[in-house]
Amino acid sequence: MTQLQELFGDKLITATHPFDTHIYKWFTNGTSYYIGIEASSLSGEQEALLSIFLPEFQIADQHLSKEQQQWKVLLFDKPNQLLNENTSFSGIRFIHFSFKSPIQDQLEFEQALSGLYHTDVIILWESRVTGVLIEKIKEPDDPVHSISDVIDVLTSDFGSSMQFFEGQAYKLPFLAGQFFQQEKKWFMQSKEWFSTQRVFSMNKLLPFLLLQEASPLLKEQLSRVIDFIAEDEEMIHTIKTFLECNMNVSLTAKTLYMHRNSLQYRIDRFILRTGLDIKRFSEAITAYLAIMSIQRL
């Protein structure tokens, strides 16, 4: 980044989302912001060299349908514009995706991804390796499908380098562009925190985001809750798995390849040493946040 600033000076800017695409060439750099360089100051050779290291933001208007163009404007050009109530759908969900390297057939991927949903969807590519699927929710009680259910099929067809971020469902009206850009930032953070994970969910990520925004004192207080077992990695792993298995002893024992009696002994020992009765929902939440606070933050 420093070298780019030295080369282009005030011709280079950064922003949380691209704008004035007729003036700037925009590039993504794997973070929560975009790099824009005045097109008039870029030579063809420089642009080709940059595209090797930085994927170019390239939603080409001439290849978009009318509806795709409308979504492009809403998400990238006018993020403060309200998406009003619509007669054909009542809500929206964003499914963000990224690849480590470009795939050979984008159209085939689009068809495979669209086929997973029973509702109308729109797909926008932001670069050769990043994009978003916009799922239209017609009725509040429409079933919500998860990429996790079919990720193995997708990776077998298109490679294992893909990652997805499933945003939450938003009821109209809402500021679509603002929430879209915010989810993109959280997607970037998720990939930093859980680099090997293939599917991220907004609902599952929220506790981590809450901890991220918590004061240092609150984080310290949370970690102190499990002070007496914090060094026992086996215990921490067991209890975290138990909580992630919805406090189901049978499922946890199966997941850990452990006898039920051995698992029950560890749970009872955790309760005794921490004073947290993780069989109770409210105290289980505290225990889970405490474990996350020492593992991630």
Side-chain angles (χ1 to χ4, degrees), residues 16-30:
T16 55
H17 61 274
F19 61 91
D20 289 345
T21 52
H22 60 291
I23 298 176
Y24 295 97
K25 283 280 187 180
W26 290 94
F27 300 88
T28 61
N29 67 341

Side-chain angles (χ1 to χ4, degrees), residues 158-211:
F158 300 99
S160 59
S161 65
M162 67 179 70
Q163 290 178 297
F164 291 88
F165 182 93
E166 297 178 319
Q168 68 185 68
Y170 297 102
K171 179 183 177 182
L172 303 185
F174 80 113
L175 294 170
Q178 284 192 12
F179 282 97
F180 168 77
Q181 296 294 343
Q182 185 60 64
E183 284 190 357
K184 278 179 58 64
K185 293 180 183 178
W186 288 332
F187 186 18
M188 296 295 183
Q189 285 185 314
S190 300
K191 290 192 285 188
E192 292 177 8
W193 291 342
F194 315 100
S195 58
T196 60
Q197 194 166 319
R198 295 182 296 177
V199 181
F200 309 98
S201 164
M202 184 71 245
N203 294 335
K204 293 181 180 178
L205 186 66
L206 277 172
F208 289 92
L209 296 174
L210 289 172
L211 280 175

Side-chain angles (χ1 to χ4, degrees), residues 267-276:
I267 292 172
D268 293 340
R269 190 159 161 257
F270 176 88
I271 294 172
L272 180 65
R273 296 181 66 184
T274 64
L276 285 171

Side-chain angles (χ1 to χ4, degrees), residues 32 37 54 64-65 83 101 113 115 167 187 198 210 224 228 241:
S32 58
I37 302 174
L54 299 173
L64 300 181
S65 67
L83 178 60
S101 58
L113 193 58
F187 186 18
R198 295 182 296 177
L210 289 172
R224 293 289 182 181
F228 289 104
T241 304

Side-chain angles (χ1 to χ4, degrees), residues 28-42:
T28 61
N29 67 341
T31 67
S32 58
Y33 62 87
Y34 295 85
I35 297 172
I37 302 174
E38 283 189 20
S40 60
S41 65
L42 265 176

